[in-house]
Amino acid sequence: MKNMMIGVDLAKAVFQVHGALPTGEVQFRKKLSRKQFPAFMAQQESSMVIFEASGSAHFWAREMEALGQEVKLIAPQYVRPFVKRQKNDAADAEAIVIAARQPEMRFVEPKTVDQQSCAAVFRGRERLVHQRTADVNALRTLLYEHGYVFPVGMSHLNRMTALVQDETVDLHTLIREECLDLLAQIAEKTACIIERTTKLKTLAAESDRARRLQTMPGVGPLTAVAVEAFGPDMAEFKTGRNFAAWLGLVPRQHSSGGKERLGRMTKAGQADIRRLLIIGAMSRLNWLGQRTIVEGSWLSHMLMRKPKMLVATALANKMARQIWAMLTKNRDDRDPAIAVGA
C-alpha cells in the first residue's frame, strides 16, 4: 500500500480532497476547483487515489494514472455506511478513504476509452429504441381514441401506416397530420437504430474476444459488445459463479439462523448484459431453439418442471459462467449439445 491514501469526492466544479495515512492519521483536507485539482495532484508523491465509481470517475482515474498515481474506484453503496452523521462533500471524501482501508473491500476496475466509447454507442442505440417504442405507443393510442384498435408491438406498424395513409379512412385532418408526423419520427429513429446496430456489429467483428463469445448459442454481436464494454477483466472473478452474481443472475437471500431463504432475482448488478443474456436464453427455448436441446439433458428436465421464464434465467446464469470460462481460458464455446447437457 502507498504511504498516502487520498479520497476524492468528485463534482462538476468543486472537488473535496481528503488525505490520510493507512493508519487513519489525517494529513490534509482541501477544497479544490476543477482546474486546481490536476495541478495539486501533480505535486503529490505516488499515492493511492480513491474515487467513488460515479460520473467522470473513469476519466479522472485515467488522468491520475498518467500522473503516476495508483487509482481505486469504489461503488457508492460501499462508501455510504462509512459516512459519519452529517452528509457533505468533506464527510464523503473521508468516508471514501475509510472504506478503501477495509481489507475485504471490493473495487471497480477503471474503464478504458475504448470501453466507454463502445458503451456510448450501445446506450445511444438503447435510448433510440426506447424513444421509438414511445412514439409507436403514442401512435397506437391516438388511433385507438378514434376507433381503430391495434395490438402492441412493432410488427403491427405497417398496418397502422397503411391505415393512416389511406385517404378513404375516416380520420380528421389534424389527427392524420399528427399520425404522419409520428410515422416520420419513427422512420427517422429506425434509420438511426439500424446505423448504430451496424456500427456495433462492426465493432464485434473487429474484436477477437467478441468473436469468441459469439460461438456460444444465444450470444450475438450486441451481447458480445455489451460484455466488452461493460464487463471488467474476467480475471477479477475467481469463478464463473462470481461473474454470474456480479451480473445479478442470483436470487435475493433472506437467510438467517442457518436457514436459507431465497427470493426473486436481485436485479442488482449489470443490467444490460443480464437482460441480453436472458433474451438470448429465451431464444434457445422457443419452438425452433428447442430442437437443439438434447433429450435427457439438464435443460430438458428443467423445461418439464419449471416455467419457461424461470428456465431462461437459470440458463442465462449458466451462460454467464460459460462466458467466464471462455474468456479466462481463451477458448471457444464447446459443442452446443455437450454444453447444454453438461
Side-chain angles (χ1 to χ4, degrees):
M1 184 176 290
K2 303 295 183 180
N3 293 330
M4 180 78 73
M5 301 180 72
I6 303 176
V8 183
D9 184 66
L10 296 172
K12 295 180 181 178
V14 179
F15 296 173
Q16 186 70 41
V17 183
H18 181 94
L21 297 178
T23 56
E25 300 174 22
V26 178
Q27 300 299 299
F28 58 80
R29 293 187 179 95
K30 289 186 176 292
K31 183 184 290 186
L32 304 172
S33 68
R34 191 177 185 88
K35 292 183 178 179
Q36 292 172 337
F37 176 65
F40 173 79
M41 294 303 300
Q43 297 173 359
Q44 304 302 310
E45 295 182 357
S46 182
S47 307
M48 179 184 290
V49 183
I50 312 104
F51 302 100
E52 278 187 333
S54 55
S56 77
H58 295 281
F59 165 77
W60 286 113
R62 294 192 295 267
E63 291 292 305
M64 293 301 103
E65 288 178 345
L67 294 175
Q69 307 288 358
E70 180 183 356
V71 179
K72 297 286 187 181
L73 301 181
I74 303 181
Q77 61 265 31
Y78 293 155
V79 175
R80 195 173 301 115
F82 297 97
V83 177
K84 297 177 181 177
R85 193 177 291 266
Q86 302 296 335
K87 187 197 180 301
N88 52 62
D89 292 346
D92 288 346
E94 181 182 7
I96 290 171
V97 174
I98 297 174
R101 289 208 306 263
Q102 310 308 307
E104 71 280 1
M105 181 54 62
R106 298 175 182 175
F107 296 98
V108 178
E109 184 180 359
K111 294 186 182 298
T112 64
V113 176
D114 290 339
Q115 282 182 304
Q116 286 192 292
S117 301
C118 289
V121 177
F122 184 92
R123 290 273 165 80
R125 180 186 178 278
E126 292 295 299
R127 183 182 65 254
L128 287 168
V129 169
H130 291 156
Q131 292 174 354
R132 183 181 66 176
T133 301
D135 289 342
V136 172
N137 289 338
L139 175 63
R140 194 180 74 255
T141 302
L142 194 58
L143 292 174
Y144 176 72
E145 290 294 333
H146 291 80
Y148 299 98
V149 181
F150 292 92
V152 176
M154 283 291 297
S155 59
H156 304 283
L157 180 61
N158 290 336
R159 290 174 55 199
M160 289 188 282
T161 303
L163 182 130
V164 172
Q165 294 177 345
D166 188 352
E167 297 293 339
T168 62
V169 173
D170 183 21
L171 278 176
H172 192 278
T173 303
L174 293 178
I175 298 300
R176 191 184 301 276
E177 291 177 353
E178 186 66 22
C179 290
L180 290 173
D181 182 64
L182 282 170
L183 287 171
Q185 294 181 45
I186 292 169
E188 181 182 0
K189 290 182 175 65
T190 300
C192 293
I193 291 169
I194 293 173
E195 178 186 356
R196 280 168 173 76
T197 302
T198 303
K199 190 178 297 184
L200 290 171
K201 288 181 178 179
T202 302
L203 291 171
E206 294 173 350
S207 170
D208 184 64
R209 280 164 53 94
R211 180 208 59 78
R212 178 173 289 114
L213 289 174
Q214 291 179 74
T215 62
M216 178 187 295
V219 175
L222 296 183
T223 306
V225 170
V227 174
E228 286 267 287
F230 301 113
D233 185 0
M234 292 298 160
E236 297 289 324
F237 304 103
K238 291 184 179 180
T239 63
R241 182 178 183 178
N242 291 347
F243 176 57
W246 180 81
L247 292 177
L249 289 167
V250 291
R252 183 182 297 277
Q253 289 199 34
H254 300 276
S255 304
S256 180
K259 184 175 182 180
E260 287 192 359
R261 296 182 178 88
L262 302 181
R264 296 183 177 182
M265 196 171 64
T266 63
K267 299 294 180 69
Q270 219 300 316
D272 300 282
I273 301 175
R274 180 178 66 240
R275 176 176 56 82
L276 290 171
L277 284 179
I278 293 175
I279 292 173
M282 284 296 292
S283 71
R284 300 287 311 280
L285 304 180
N286 59 22
W287 68 272
L288 185 61
Q290 288 188 17
R291 297 180 181 180
T292 62
I293 297 176
V294 179
E295 186 177 353
S297 66
W298 165 84
L299 192 54
S300 66
H301 286 305
M302 286 285 288
L303 280 172
M304 289 188 293
R305 296 184 292 112
K306 300 292 183 180
K308 186 176 290 187
M309 190 62 197
L310 189 150
V311 177
T313 305
L315 180 57
N317 182 292
K318 199 176 187 69
M319 292 168 64
R321 299 186 186 198
Q322 290 174 332
I323 286 174
W324 176 86
M326 291 164 59
L327 296 182
T328 53
K329 299 177 182 179
N330 293 321
R331 62 170 174 80
D332 292 352
D333 188 38
R334 298 179 295 174
D335 181 76
I338 298 176
V340 172

